[in-house]
Amino acid sequence: MAHRIEPPAAMKATDRSPARSSPEVGLARAHGVFNLVGGLWPLLHRRSFEAVFGPKNDRWLQYTVAGLLAGNGVAQIMATLSPAGVVHARRVGIITAAWLLAIDLTYVPKGDIPKTYLLDAVMEVGWLSAWSHPVLRARGPGLIPTCFRVVGAVGQPVIYFGFGSRFSGTSRAPGR
């Protein structure tokens, strides 16, 4: 005779656990794989990575960023094993995409990194857009991009991302 263990009724009413095939789980896994592959690429085959994204002077920095990106990917993939983990995967995904986009949009125009990084910028915008999709916003708490602004100041582009627990449509940069 098999026994089923069910959560208390109060827990059922507030439980927002995603199904194994929910949009959040699929997105978290896809983004995690993207970050894992992106991080492993320069670690496993530096020459092909540098053929696309240009030669790197500081190998230690290249390997550090690659390792962190791969680690973020693994964290996203592993986080999909629990409901609370999916919220964590969303946060890691949005923060990673926002930061990489900020770097791409800051250093490509200055000529510090090759224009091929704009391909990465497009992908990061795609991930941010996917994470902020209305279906995902309606399903529960998480870190959602609420504002994206590029502000020019004294020739230095500043990229500001506002985050909140739900989409409000308005957000202001600090000091504005």
Side-chain angles (χ1 to χ4, degrees):
M1 179 173 174
H3 295 281
R4 284 186 4 184
I5 299 174
E6 293 188 1
M11 185 180 232
K12 286 181 187 176
T14 59
D15 184 14
R16 293 186 177 170
S17 62
R20 289 192 187 270
S21 62
S22 74
E24 298 99 330
V25 170
L27 181 57
R29 287 180 180 157
H31 196 181
V33 168
F34 177 82
N35 285 333
L36 177 61
V37 169
L40 289 177
W41 183 14
L43 295 174
L44 298 176
H45 203 271
R46 184 179 47 83
R47 282 189 170 168
S48 66
F49 179 81
E50 289 185 353
V52 174
F53 291 105
K56 307 296 180 235
N57 294 326
D58 294 325
R59 297 260 183 266
W60 70 269
L61 182 58
Q62 178 182 13
Y63 296 149
T64 301
V65 171
L68 291 170
L69 187 58
N72 284 2
V74 169
Q76 285 179 281
I77 294 165
M78 296 303 294
T80 62
L81 301 176
S82 75
V86 174
V87 173
H88 173 72
R90 177 187 293 176
R91 289 180 178 142
V92 169
I94 289 173
I95 290 168
T96 301
W99 193 250
L100 292 174
L101 178 62
I103 296 299
D104 295 341
L105 295 180
T106 299
Y107 292 102
V108 168
K110 294 166 91 177
D112 292 339
I113 58 177
K115 290 182 182 176
T116 52
Y117 277 92
L118 292 177
L119 296 172
D120 180 62
V122 169
M123 289 302 300
E124 303 308 336
V125 167
W127 291 119
L128 290 171
S129 176
W131 281 117
S132 65
H133 191 276
V135 170
L136 298 180
R137 282 200 310 264
R139 290 181 62 95
L143 194 60
I144 302 296
T146 57
C147 179
F148 170 75
R149 247 195 246 175
V150 178
V151 181
V154 195
Q156 295 286 349
V158 175
I159 299 173
Y160 170 75
F161 297 93
F163 293 102
S165 59
R166 62 188 157 88
F167 185 76
S168 65
T170 61
S171 183
R172 293 175 24 162
R176 293 205 173 253

